[in-house]
Amino acid sequence: MITVFSSLHCNLVFYIFVFRSILGAQYSTEVLRRNFNTIKNIKEEFEKTVQHIKSQAEHTERQIKQQFEKLHQFLRDEEEATITALREEKERKKQMMKEKLEEMNRHISALSHTIKDMEEMMKASDVCFLKEFPVTMERVQNSSQPDPQMPSGALIHVPRYLGNLPFRVWKKMQDIVQNSESGEDLCCYTHTGNDA
């Protein structure tokens, strides 16, 4: 009987051991399965994050290009406005000088006629010369003007266009920057807590 009992006891201990081993294995499998699912879920989140990073980068790159295009367009507009102002001043100055030249040509022509008339009178008889001399002298005095001077402001005012050009453009650019700060031009960005 003791042998049967001892044999039964051994079998029972064995079965308990096997049962515990099976339960332990099932528990371990369950833990491993949970770990597997957790890691799989985390992996999916990482993959989503990678896609989100890619999407963010593409969107941000487009925004950067748009912002720089605005700045480039602003600079092109400023360049065009400055060159247009320069060309307008050039045309005004050229027109002013053209009018002065026409006036000088009329004066030169009048002087030339007066000289020609005086030379002809000098060739004529002395009586005729003496008789016409007072009238001729009056014509000479009326036609004589001071030597022409270069008109004030005749040349282009170069410093108006080149002086502190980068600074003046930068000051105007501040308006664009201040308008951007209002958030109108900024893209929407959601912080997920995973951003570095």
Side-chain angles (χ1 to χ4, degrees), residues 51-68:
Q51 287 304 314
H52 184 68
I53 289 168
K54 182 180 174 186
S55 175
Q56 276 184 313
E58 290 169 356
H59 181 72
T60 304
E61 184 176 333
R62 281 192 305 276
Q63 292 289 351
I64 289 168
K65 287 182 180 204
Q66 288 174 356
Q67 293 297 318
F68 272 102

Side-chain angles (χ1 to χ4, degrees), residues 66-126:
Q66 288 174 356
Q67 293 297 318
F68 272 102
E69 181 52 36
K70 284 181 183 181
L71 294 173
H72 292 159
Q73 187 59 49
F74 171 79
L75 290 173
R76 284 189 294 269
D77 292 346
E78 281 300 307
E79 176 186 13
E80 185 61 33
T82 304
I83 289 173
T84 298
L86 172 64
R87 288 176 180 160
E88 288 171 357
E89 182 177 355
K90 176 185 80 171
E91 290 305 316
R92 283 193 312 274
K93 303 285 175 146
K94 279 175 49 179
Q95 184 61 34
M96 178 182 71
M97 291 307 293
K98 184 179 178 183
E99 290 169 5
K100 294 286 184 187
L101 284 170
E102 288 172 0
E103 182 183 320
M104 287 177 75
N105 285 336
R106 286 190 299 273
H107 184 66
I108 288 170
S109 178
L111 283 175
S112 180
H113 287 295
T114 303
I115 291 169
K116 184 179 177 186
D117 290 346
M118 282 185 71
E119 286 174 346
E120 287 177 12
M121 279 193 282
M122 287 172 57
K123 290 179 185 174
S125 67
D126 289 337

Side-chain angles (χ1 to χ4, degrees), residues 142-161:
N142 287 342
S143 65
S144 69
Q145 296 178 351
D147 289 340
Q149 299 291 319
M150 182 66 71
S152 172
L155 299 177
I156 290 179
H157 192 251
V158 175
R160 179 181 298 140
Y161 303 101

Side-chain angles (χ1 to χ4, degrees), residues 17-29:
F17 175 76
V18 169
F19 181 71
R20 281 186 181 171
S21 297
I22 292 172
L23 283 179
Q26 286 178 343
Y27 176 77
S28 295
T29 304

